Amino acid sequence: MTLSLPNLGLGIGWRAQLAHAILNRPDIGFVEILAEDYFLSETIPPPLQALHDRGVHIIPHGVGLNLGGAEPIDPARLAALGELAQRMQAPFVSEHIAFVRAAGLETGHLLPIPRTHAMLDILVKNIRQAEAALPVPLVLENIAILFDWPNAEMDEAAFLNAICERTDALLLLDLENIYANARNLGGDPVALLDRLPLERVAYVHVAGGYEADGVFHDTHAHPLHEEVVALVEALYARMAVPGVMLERDDRFPDDAELGTELDAIAAAIARGNIERHERGFAHPVLSDAS
Amino acid sequence: MMSASREAISDTQADLVRALVHGTPVPAGFDEQRVQAVARSLVNKRRQALARIWPSLVKRVGDSFIAKFTEYGQTHPLPTSANALADGRAFLAWLAVKEPPTDDLRIEALAYDLRWRETPLGLCRRGGFGIKIARLAQSEKWLLGLRTPWRGDRWWGMPANV
């Protein structure tokens, strides 16, 4: 598969509360919108239209496809996601490697799936169904989990590699989720980066969280952790991926604080780029998107 | 027909969701404490999402909002639209059965009903004409809500004793 991904640059999750701060950052190259919020409207809200007119990419990000569910994907949801992608002229749409409902019950939460060959077969079938129905490429995100399934046959890197081998899906690498999982369940985030097919990464999520009762919660409501910013640098030292975006969903900071976090991400990208060029042939760059 | 492995995964996913939503036993092999921690966080997450999207509801329920929503959330799953506003409307319906609603809360519910229709894909804004009439017990007023294609939603109050 030949990949030709748009250069996205610095991005942020679109939230009405952040509209002012986002419009005032001319270096924002892309925003992500919560796909389900726009399924049943027929227009683009004016502030998003203004960003779109400026050339900012708008990426619909779904939470309800249930790609990791044992049942086939609901065609009505796929159609709605595809129509939204076309309305927003999106380069791709993203979803999660997770399940959100079963037995007719909605959880409103991204839940882990077993990393087994049987689950992989189901997931691949669902991804292919989605890819066949969508007008743009599908990008898949790794989730944060507080508990895991028993009897895993693969670790997360092997599972993600297997998905990429068997489908055309791209990756939305959530570095905050990788960091959170390493804290809660063990593992080395940088070692994981070394084993992932980084040339398939379409973009990256970073966010903040906090620890309570010995558990790290991926809240998207707290300041970014230095360790997560360091992972952005470590990633770019290995590969220039198309873009990185900040997710902030609650306890919204003022424009200055948000700006500081975006600046920190941009600086980490710049440091990573320098490291990669200094390393030269030690880490050959296969598709430099910058 | 489902293969045996697909069926096993489907069954365990259903058991896990029931454990998270209904508090049934956590399936074998899972970290019970962590699953229960997620179950608790799900109700909090719904409450926080509702507070963000429908702040006037939270204000009008008052200080007992957290306690009341937690009681509702632990016994009632998220509506199939998985929408926070729809969750809030279902919460108001649950609350109205428990205690007679204040005028303020009835107005919140009526405003939702005049504007939104719940579908499996989310909430759909109602179009065309619509009307809501209610007698408000506390203020002894009639409330009239009218939706028209050109003016949107409009509300009028009238004394009930005339």
Side-chain angles (χ1 to χ4, degrees):
Chain A
M1 187 173 74
T2 311
L3 298 177
S4 105
L5 302 174
N7 184 19
L8 299 170
L10 192 62
I12 186 163
W14 167 263
R15 301 291 178 271
Q17 294 89 337
L18 300 174
H20 182 258
I22 294 172
L23 281 167
N24 282 336
R25 286 286 301 215
D27 57 342
I28 291 289
F30 71 111
V31 296
E32 198 183 64
I33 58 170
L34 295 173
E36 282 78 7
D37 286 354
Y38 298 85
F39 274 180
L40 297 168
S41 65
E42 281 162 7
T43 53
I44 302 179
L48 275 178
Q49 184 65 53
L51 287 174
H52 185 263
D53 293 345
R54 224 158 74 181
V56 174
H57 293 285
I58 301 172
I59 301 173
H61 183 57
V63 291
L65 272 192
N66 207 33
L67 286 168
E71 289 79 36
I73 307 303
D74 176 5
R77 282 180 191 275
L78 273 175
L81 190 56
E83 280 165 25
L84 180 61
Q86 283 179 320
R87 192 170 0 127
M88 300 292 172
Q89 295 177 285
F92 31 65
V93 294
S94 54
E95 249 290 351
H96 299 84
I97 303 169
F99 82 105
V100 294
R101 75 181 70 86
L105 292 171
E106 288 287 335
T107 65
H109 193 68
L110 301 160
L111 293 165
I113 56 175
R115 291 187 307 279
T116 61
H117 292 281
M119 182 70 240
L120 189 61
D121 288 343
I122 297 169
L123 182 64
V124 164
K125 203 170 172 183
N126 286 347
I127 294 169
R128 287 181 181 158
Q129 183 199 345
E131 287 179 330
L134 291 168
V136 292
L138 176 63
V139 184
L140 299 176
E141 177 177 357
N142 57 300
I143 65 164
I145 61 177
L146 288 185
F147 61 84
D148 212 347
W149 284 59
N151 310 322
E153 293 163 6
M154 288 164 263
D155 64 10
E156 187 161 22
F159 198 66
L160 291 171
N161 273 290
I163 293 168
C164 287
E165 278 162 26
R166 291 179 55 184
T167 71
D168 290 333
L170 300 166
L171 292 178
L172 161 47
L173 197 60
D174 191 313
L175 294 176
E176 154 80 358
N177 291 347
I178 288 175
Y179 170 75
N181 290 349
R183 275 183 71 157
N184 291 329
L185 300 162
D188 177 355
V190 176
L192 180 61
L193 289 185
D194 279 328
R195 291 179 51 213
L196 292 178
L198 297 182
E199 70 284 359
R200 295 284 282 271
V201 173
Y203 64 109
V204 170
H205 274 175
V206 292
Y210 81 110
E211 189 175 310
D213 304 325
V215 177
F216 185 81
H217 296 269
D218 159 51
T219 60
H220 302 180
H222 294 82
L224 267 181
H225 278 247
E226 273 174 35
E227 293 93 329
V228 177
V229 177
L231 283 177
V232 173
E233 184 179 336
L235 172 66
Y236 273 79
R238 285 157 178 77
M239 173 79 70
V241 300
V244 180
M245 59 158 274
L246 175 67
E247 293 181 286
R248 185 73 184 229
D249 298 341
D250 208 348
R251 294 157 57 104
F252 294 99
D254 61 25
D255 290 12
E257 192 185 330
L258 193 77
T260 307
E261 293 208 334
L262 290 169
D263 291 344
I265 296 165
I269 292 172
R271 285 196 304 275
N273 280 334
I274 291 169
E275 284 168 49
R276 191 180 71 253
H277 288 301
E278 281 176 352
R279 286 185 194 184
F281 294 104
H283 286 276
V285 177
L286 300 177
S287 68
D288 192 330
S290 59
Chain B
M1 207 182 108
M2 275 201 205
S3 70
S5 53
R6 180 185 277 261
E7 203 166 339
I9 289 171
S10 176
D11 287 349
T12 310
Q13 287 189 342
D15 288 345
L16 192 57
V17 167
R18 279 189 283 261
L20 289 167
V21 174
H22 291 319
T24 55
V26 174
F30 286 86
D31 183 330
E32 203 174 330
Q33 282 190 336
R34 289 278 180 91
V35 173
Q36 284 165 353
V38 171
R40 282 190 300 276
S41 76
L42 291 189
V43 178
N44 292 341
K45 193 173 163 183
R46 284 167 63 186
R47 193 191 76 232
Q48 287 157 0
L50 176 58
R52 265 199 304 278
I53 201 163
W54 199 344
S56 59
L57 180 151
V58 177
K59 199 176 142 200
R60 287 173 163 181
V61 173
D63 293 341
S64 58
F65 171 69
I66 291 180
K68 282 174 178 164
F69 189 87
T70 304
E71 189 187 340
Y72 154 79
Q74 283 168 346
T75 48
H76 295 72
L78 192 61
T80 51
S81 64
N83 183 283
L85 276 179
D87 204 16
R89 182 65 186 90
F91 168 59
L92 284 180
W94 171 85
L95 204 56
V97 173
K98 264 176 73 86
E99 53 193 57
T102 61
D103 288 355
D104 282 346
L105 286 179
R106 283 197 73 195
I107 293 169
E108 293 290 339
L110 287 164
Y112 172 101
D113 294 344
L114 189 63
R115 180 165 296 179
W116 301 110
R117 184 165 58 85
E118 194 184 355
T119 80
L121 282 182
L123 291 192
C124 190
R125 212 178 165 112
R126 290 180 188 271
F129 294 91
I131 189 164
K132 292 281 163 198
I133 303 172
R135 192 184 164 160
L136 302 176
Q138 287 173 319
S139 54
E140 293 185 344
K141 269 185 182 172
W142 284 98
L143 187 71
L144 170 68
L146 198 62
R147 185 185 66 248
T148 59
W150 52 90
R151 293 295 295 271
D153 304 348
R154 301 190 76 192
W155 292 90
W156 293 271
M158 282 163 286
N161 54 358
V162 291

